[in-house]
Amino acid sequence: MESSSLVPHNDPTLMFTNAGMNQFKDVFTGKEKRDYKRATTSQKCVRAGGKHNDLENVGYTARHHTFFEMLGNFSFGDYFKNDAIAFAWELVTKNFGLSPEKLLVTVHATDEEAAGIWRKVTGFSDEKIIRINSDDNFWRMGDTGPCGPCTEIFYDHGDHIWGGPPGSPEEDGDRFIEIWNNVFMQYEQIDADTRIDLPAQSVDTGMGLERIAATLMGSNSNYDIDIFQAIMTHSADLTGVSFKGDQAPSHKVIADHLRAASFLMADGVMPSNEGRGYVLRRIMRRGMRHAHLLGASEPLMYKLFPTLLSKMGEAYPELGRAGALITETLRSEEERFRVTLERGLKMLDEETARLSGGQNFPGDVAFKLYDTFGFPLDLTQDALKAKNIAVDTAGFDACMEEQKKAARAAWSGSGDTAFGKQWYDFAEKNRDD
Ligand code: GLY
């Protein structure tokens, strides 16, 4: 099947498509019947909010993205654990040719059946079949929806890279990288307290294309694959700053966020101050701050779009169809944001210099940066990350609430409350910052 749009249709529980299984959600729950029982896809995904959010890791790890392509195979009441595990092993070791010595797997601590199948299929001892008793091995698409225990395949990139096996204190390092998740879809989460059995036992899998491509190239970094190398080479050419040194994270953030922003716009999302549009604006502005950090003296991201298009336009023709809109939106957003970016960063630096060790960045200043200079909260957080300073988010939220209350009161005082409320909502939605 083709990838579905990044904007999930018919699913109000989801902001963006975050997994290959989203388009099959109703098939898993039995609400929808199709004339096939197996499928495979390469699905566009965005993980920048909600249950699966990788935004803050982007640029700082070798393996996280806001936008990525997820490869998956699906069974709707057809094959289950035995075949799914055997298929997965066959693909990674025979077709992809990965060495079994480099691989290890995890299963949910309660899933002895999966552990037994792995033992039989791989001949692994229990040391390489790691039991995990946490949500890491119980996959859910969101607070509600289909879910089930999962088993993950990890690749060991070698002891020259920091990191430990899954379940160890060093598991977040980049040495042992999860390349494939196989989910045994058995349940549906109806609400926080209710989980029911699905009508059939099914399979959903997710393998990040960027991760497996990098692994097959012998690298642990997704940013070594050709798409990212081409974009980062271009951003290095335009800024005169190498993408290999200290400023590598900025190039990575720009390349990642260019992909996310472009693909979101190609699927009809436009920057705005609420909902999906605000997540898009936040992603764009983070990228733009990093362009500024690289010393770009004029808008940068729109100039990189042709490189992205040359690498991904064939597989995703929607990028080319929306090319003019994407380019112009990136250019005008960056032009506008640059007007306040520099002044906002100056304020951020001054305020940071006032802090003494261990202090949080004040919420009211973060709010002023948001309100006056158009700094989304996560942009401020990203800017402070290198200095290890956290923002007082409760203080930020309190200022936001206060401002909304004041604005509502001003409108309701005008005489026609209902009319005023509508205009307030309209103005808030279309605020030009
Ligand atoms: N649905 C499987 C995954 O996202 O890992």
Side-chain angles (χ1 to χ4, degrees):
M1 295 294 294
E2 279 199 21
S3 170
S4 60
S5 165
L6 283 171
V7 179
H9 295 293
N10 305 328
D11 192 348
T13 69
L14 209 53
M15 183 170 259
F16 297 122
T17 297
N18 66 9
M21 56 73 65
N22 295 162
Q23 67 166 314
F24 303 115
K25 180 179 169 186
D26 289 346
V27 188
F28 285 124
T29 59
K31 237 167 92 184
E32 195 189 325
K33 294 263 174 291
R34 306 247 173 125
D35 57 7
Y36 49 84
K37 291 192 145 207
R38 298 178 174 196
T40 58
T41 57
S42 176
Q43 174 67 51
K44 299 181 281 187
C45 295
V46 164
R47 290 189 170 179
K51 184 123 212 125
H52 299 277
N53 184 3
D54 290 331
L55 186 62
E56 63 195 45
N57 287 319
V58 173
Y60 304 100
T61 72
R63 62 187 195 282
H64 286 102
H65 301 292
T66 51
F67 169 89
F68 67 103
E69 294 170 88
M70 183 186 285
L71 307 175
N73 55 293
F74 307 92
S75 153
F76 311 113
D78 193 50
Y79 60 85
F80 197 49
K81 283 186 199 183
N82 270 306
D83 283 335
I85 289 176
F87 291 164
W89 190 244
E90 184 181 336
L91 184 63
V92 293
T93 58
K94 298 228 165 65
N95 301 83
F96 291 168
L98 296 180
S99 157
E101 281 87 74
K102 295 278 198 179
L103 298 169
L104 62 159
V105 302
T106 61
V107 295
H108 194 264
T110 58
D111 196 354
E112 264 319 302
E113 188 190 357
I117 300 169
W118 275 119
R119 215 177 295 121
K120 209 168 79 205
V121 169
T122 61
F124 280 174
S125 65
D126 270 4
E127 220 171 70
K128 297 233 296 176
I129 305 173
I130 301 171
R131 272 81 166 165
I132 302 282
N133 194 11
S134 76
D135 264 10
D136 283 349
N137 278 69
F138 192 94
W139 197 86
R140 325 157 195 257
M141 64 165 272
D143 292 334
T144 59
C147 54
C150 59
T151 176
E152 298 187 313
I153 304 176
F154 283 74
Y155 188 84
D156 177 2
H157 284 278
D159 59 12
H160 59 293
I161 297 165
W162 184 81
S168 72
E170 301 83 25
E171 65 177 359
D172 285 335
D174 281 327
R175 174 174 168 185
F176 293 86
I177 290 188
E178 178 226 324
I179 54 168
W180 200 357
N181 185 16
N182 277 240
V183 186
F184 306 119
M185 286 294 188
Q186 280 162 277
Y187 309 110
E188 181 178 2
Q189 196 74 35
I190 303 293
D191 56 42
D193 306 317
T194 325
R195 186 184 292 168
I196 59 169
D197 283 337
L198 284 176
Q201 293 186 319
S202 294
V203 171
D204 147 43
T205 85
M207 172 193 275
L209 175 63
E210 297 79 358
R211 287 188 189 184
I212 191 69
T215 305
L216 293 177
M217 285 172 56
S219 168
N220 79 323
S221 172
N222 296 3
Y223 291 91
D224 281 344
I225 69 173
D226 64 339
I227 297 172
F228 286 112
Q229 289 288 302
I231 301 171
M232 297 195 305
T233 300
H234 196 173
S235 65
D237 282 350
L238 291 175
T239 56
V241 179
S242 163
F243 65 81
K244 295 201 170 123
D246 288 353
Q247 281 170 291
S250 288
H251 286 287
K252 290 177 184 172
V253 171
I254 291 167
D256 174 274
H257 289 11
L258 173 74
R259 290 206 321 163
S262 302
F263 272 92
L264 282 170
M265 285 189 270
D267 277 346
V269 182
M270 292 304 283
S272 76
N273 282 321
E274 57 154 29
R276 296 189 172 104
Y278 191 56
V279 177
L280 168 60
R281 178 166 278 167
R282 282 164 44 203
I283 291 172
M284 286 165 112
R285 290 191 173 178
R286 274 169 84 114
M288 290 162 188
R289 183 182 78 88
H290 283 277
H292 179 88
L293 284 181
L294 293 178
S297 55
E298 48 184 61
L300 176 78
M301 286 179 75
Y302 83 98
K303 293 187 184 154
L304 304 173
F305 177 73
T307 304
L308 170 64
L309 185 62
S310 73
K311 286 286 171 191
M312 301 191 74
E314 194 184 331
Y316 296 100
E318 62 269 39
L319 269 189
R321 285 197 294 269
L325 177 70
I326 294 170
T327 308
E328 181 47 29
T329 309
L330 281 169
R331 194 195 58 72
S332 62
E333 278 277 314
E334 193 161 355
E335 206 152 77
R336 245 162 23 134
F337 185 44
R338 289 178 63 84
V339 175
T340 53
L341 176 64
E342 208 153 321
R343 283 193 295 143
L345 287 174
K346 194 160 167 267
M347 178 188 227
L348 194 141
D349 283 344
E350 283 165 6
E351 200 58 44
T352 310
R354 260 201 281 277
L355 298 181
S356 45
Q359 254 186 324
N360 280 354
F361 190 84
D364 60 331
V365 184
F367 182 74
K368 184 153 188 219
L369 285 168
Y370 160 81
D371 199 38
T372 313
F373 299 106
F375 278 36
L377 175 61
D378 61 81
L379 186 150
T380 302
Q381 288 169 321
D382 187 45
L384 294 168
K385 193 175 173 133
K387 299 189 175 106
N388 241 334
I389 298 172
V391 177
D392 165 21
T393 49
F396 177 90
D397 291 343
C399 292
M400 177 77 93
E401 205 32 57
E402 197 53 43
Q403 192 202 52
K404 284 192 172 158
K405 240 196 279 163
R408 272 190 211 110
W411 277 111
S412 58
S414 68
D416 186 338
T417 313
F419 186 65
K421 161 100 176 57
Q422 280 171 15
W423 275 107
Y424 169 74
D425 289 344
F426 180 80
E428 179 67 8
K429 200 164 150 184
N430 293 284
R431 207 157 60 97
D432 194 26
D433 62 358

